[in-house]
Amino acid sequence: MVSVAVVGSGISGLICAQTILKQIPEVKVAVYEWGRGPGGRTARRRVSINETSLSFDHAAPFFSSSTKLFRDGILNDWIDRGIALPWVGKFASFSGNDDSTITTSTERFTGVPTMHSICKSLSNDIVTGGGEMLFGRHVLSANFDTVSDDCNSGRWRISANNRFAADKAMQLENRQFDALVLSDKLLVLPNQYAILSEVETGELISLPPLKSEACVVLLLAFNKPAPSTFPGSSNTVCDVLKRGNNDEDKNAENNEGSDSAVRLIVHESTKPHRDDNKLDMWVVHSGSNYALERLRPEIDGEAPSLENEDAVKSEMIAEFLQILNNQDSTPVQYTPDAVAYSSVMVWDHAQVRMTDRLHKTHLLDHERRIGVCGDFFSGEDGKEKQQLATGVEAAALSGSALGLSLVPHLEALIAQRKDGAKM
């Protein structure tokens, strides 16, 4: 039996695992995930307000498709399965608090009924295909044992802490795998989350330092305006407002709004299949410098937090209201007393700085069968700049490419072991 461990259950890790299982169903795949469920940048934040349950797409509120490979393959499959749909709405950019230009230059898509639905469906596919989803596992280390089987092919030894184990004696789990997939740059680069030592990094040392940009996420819910103006009215408020360049997928670096409390505004309630909520929901992202200046100093083992959460929330709400109420397309005035729910959270590794992204699909050390995938890979070398993928699309293409690259090495190992068994 040949086995593969995938660390991380975001889009890239799940697509990689799914690709391997589709190509070689007899391979045993185990996906390790620190959290209670899958998600990565498609994770959701669930809250309860007056017995009403709400789900906010706090990380990646939507995504787009710039490549034929993604659009005709993975995306079409998601749409056919009913877990993603086009989001046809009003999208605008603004350079100040009262200047916007409506544009629909880029087709957007969103998960149905939430972005989380995509990874949830993928994880179900993996279990159906014979794989394992190991939630609540904090992977501590990964070490390659050069000679660990009859074929001298070497295996990866994974040590993980099971956070959900009822018995403390059962928390530490050690397992061996023939191949290893790392779907987050933080698992490789020097930091508190890395699971590879310098010796184990090997050929993956070619992964350069990748600077992440942080943001503060504001979640807002208002008591709903009159039905005549929301949703679906021709004069309804914009669905997405972005400071600076409106095209989320431009590959040029855009620093406009980095110091601002509000850089991106997303109207959650106008997404497909969201109009049954009793409240008017919004997600707001701050600029990266704004977030960085308000974070507490990072301490190993502790989640990032804000120096003054209440002050940040007040600043972001005030700027959100000013921007939204100054848009010509806003049919009603949004006021602080109409806020039914508000909270802020830190997304410290929101995205890799555009100039640091790698113009390839993945990294693979084929001799030791270890690879890295993720949304920090933007496509093959030599592709036209405007065709490079970002976000969800980049993660999906990277995971698929790594899975396909691993397949021949796994098939060779299967054949090698079958030949060894005959001797």
Side-chain angles (χ1 to χ4, degrees):
M1 180 184 71
V2 169
S3 57
V4 180
V6 177
V7 184
S9 68
I11 291 287
S12 65
L14 293 175
I15 288 287
C16 184
Q18 182 191 54
T19 301
I20 292 170
L21 285 170
K22 282 183 176 179
Q23 298 294 317
I24 323 175
E26 63 266 35
V27 169
K28 299 300 180 182
V29 176
V31 180
Y32 285 81
E33 169 57 44
W34 184 90
R36 295 179 176 274
R41 68 174 50 253
T42 66
R44 62 179 173 175
R45 179 58 62 95
R46 290 182 291 181
V47 300
S48 180
I49 307 169
N50 298 327
E51 299 183 354
T52 298
S53 180
L54 302 178
S55 290
F56 292 88
D57 292 334
H58 67 277
F62 55 86
F63 61 97
S64 58
S65 173
S66 62
T67 64
K68 188 176 186 298
L69 180 62
F70 177 67
R71 183 171 55 254
D72 293 349
I74 295 172
L75 177 56
N76 272 351
D77 176 61
W78 292 351
I79 293 174
D80 288 344
R81 295 165 60 180
I83 58 175
L85 280 175
W87 184 15
V88 180
K90 295 182 179 179
F91 303 94
S93 62
F94 63 96
S95 56
N97 288 339
D98 57 359
D99 180 24
S100 68
T101 303
I102 302 297
T103 177
T104 55
S105 60
T106 302
E107 188 176 22
R108 269 78 173 184
F109 301 86
T110 186
V112 178
T114 68
M115 286 292 291
H116 175 72
S117 304
I118 297 173
C119 279
K120 184 178 179 180
S121 179
L122 292 173
S123 66
N124 289 340
D125 288 347
I126 289 166
V127 174
T128 302
E132 297 177 87
M133 295 299 304
L134 304 175
F135 297 120
R137 265 65 169 197
H138 177 201
V139 177
L140 305 173
S141 63
N143 297 282
F144 188 71
D145 295 330
T146 306
V147 180
S148 59
D149 62 10
D150 293 338
C151 298
N152 295 330
S153 57
R155 303 195 83 191
W156 285 96
R157 181 164 33 89
I158 308 298
S159 295
N161 179 47
N162 184 351
R163 301 191 299 120
F164 301 152
D167 186 348
K168 287 187 177 181
M170 302 295 290
Q171 284 185 339
L172 184 62
E173 299 176 345
N174 292 295
R175 292 176 62 177
Q176 289 191 326
F177 297 88
D178 297 297
L180 175 61
V181 170
L182 305 178
S183 64
D184 192 322
K185 62 186 180 301
L186 297 179
L187 299 169
V188 184
L189 296 173
N191 69 97
Q192 63 172 311
Y193 306 108
I195 65 172
L196 295 179
S197 65
E198 290 186 13
V199 174
E200 299 293 358
T201 302
E203 291 184 14
L204 302 182
I205 198 69
S206 60
L207 186 66
L210 300 172
K211 181 177 176 56
S212 293
E213 294 184 332
C215 80
V216 181
V217 181
L218 168 67
L219 308 179
L220 275 174
F222 291 85
N223 294 314
K224 232 174 195 182
S228 61
T229 59
F230 177 86
S233 174
S234 61
N235 67 338
T236 188
V237 67
C238 286
D239 300 293
V240 175
L241 284 163
K242 184 177 184 294
R243 191 183 295 274
N245 178 11
N246 185 58
D247 192 342
E248 288 293 306
D249 298 308
K250 289 288 187 183
N251 292 280
E253 191 74 12
N254 174 25
N255 291 318
E256 185 174 353
S258 181
D259 297 319
S260 303
V262 173
R263 189 175 188 180
L264 176 69
I265 297 173
V266 179
H267 201 177
E268 289 283 290
S269 294
T270 63
K271 292 179 177 179
H273 295 212
R274 306 289 179 93
D275 57 359
D276 58 342
N277 289 324
K278 297 178 180 179
L279 297 172
D280 186 11
M281 298 167 55
W282 298 81
V283 169
V284 182
H285 288 185
S286 77
S288 57
N289 287 344
Y290 177 89
L292 189 62
E293 291 170 359
R294 287 158 179 78
L295 287 176
R296 296 182 188 277
E298 188 170 313
I299 300 175
D300 284 356
E302 293 188 9
S305 61
L306 296 165
E307 290 277 9
N308 190 332
E309 186 173 298
D310 290 337
V312 169
K313 183 166 70 172
S314 295
E315 288 176 0
M316 293 185 70
I317 291 177
E319 187 163 327
F320 163 84
L321 292 173
Q322 181 181 5
I323 294 168
L324 197 63
N325 289 329
N326 282 335
Q327 304 301 312
D328 292 337
S329 61
T330 302
V332 295
Q333 287 289 301
Y334 286 79
T335 60
D337 59 359
V339 175
Y341 173 83
S342 65
S343 67
V344 289
M345 56 181 293
V346 177
W347 189 12
D348 57 331
H349 295 283
Q351 58 185 358
V352 172
R353 189 171 56 185
M354 192 65 72
T355 52
D356 285 354
R357 298 177 72 239
L358 306 179
H359 293 180
K360 55 182 70 177
T361 57
H362 63 281
L363 290 176
L364 175 62
D365 180 342
H366 62 88
E367 291 187 0
R368 298 185 303 159
R369 300 178 300 280
I370 176 174
V372 182
C373 57
D375 62 3
F376 44 94
F377 294 101
S378 61
E380 295 287 359
D381 292 315
K383 278 194 174 182
E384 292 297 324
K385 204 171 189 180
Q386 63 269 24
Q387 295 299 316
L388 298 180
T390 61
V392 169
E393 178 183 15
L397 292 177
S398 178
S400 175
L402 177 56
L404 291 174
S405 294
L406 272 171
V407 164
H409 302 289
L410 298 174
E411 289 176 332
L413 186 58
I414 291 172
Q416 183 182 8
R417 288 184 177 165
K418 285 181 178 179
D419 290 342
K422 294 177 183 179
M423 297 177 62

